[in-house]
Amino acid sequence: MRAYILIDVEPGHETDIIDGSSMSAGVSSFAGIVHADVVYGSHDLVVVVEGDPKIVNETIMKLRKIPHVRKTETLLTMN
C-alpha cells in the first residue's frame, strides 16, 4: 500500500518536521516513509508512505501528533 500525505504546518516549522528538532525526530526516520518534501502551494509538506496497512496507519497517526502539524490529508493509492 502507498499513501501520499499532504501536511499543513505552522509557518517556519517545515524543515523542523522533515529533519527533526529538539522536540521530535524527523519524519524521515519514521517506519514506512520513503520520501518527504517541503512544497509550495496549498500544503507545506508531501510525505510518501509505503507498507502494509498497519504500518501506513501507524505512521499517519504519528505524523498527526507531531508538534506544529495543523492538518493532514491522506491520499491512498488504488493498486
Side-chain angles (χ1 to χ4, degrees), residues 6-46:
L6 311 174
I7 304 174
D8 297 346
V9 303
E10 294 173 5
H13 293 282
E14 298 84 358
T15 55
D16 293 342
I17 292 171
I18 294 273
D19 300 332
S21 68
S22 60
M23 293 186 305
S24 65
V27 299
S28 308
S29 67
F30 289 11
I33 292 186
V34 295
H35 199 77
D37 280 314
V38 176
V39 296
Y40 296 101
S42 302
H43 304 283
D44 303 307
L45 306 173
V46 175

Side-chain angles (χ1 to χ4, degrees), residues 62-73:
K62 282 178 74 172
L63 289 169
R64 294 174 55 87
K65 293 177 183 178
I66 296 173
H68 307 294
V69 168
R70 294 192 294 190
K71 178 183 166 190
T72 64
E73 180 177 347

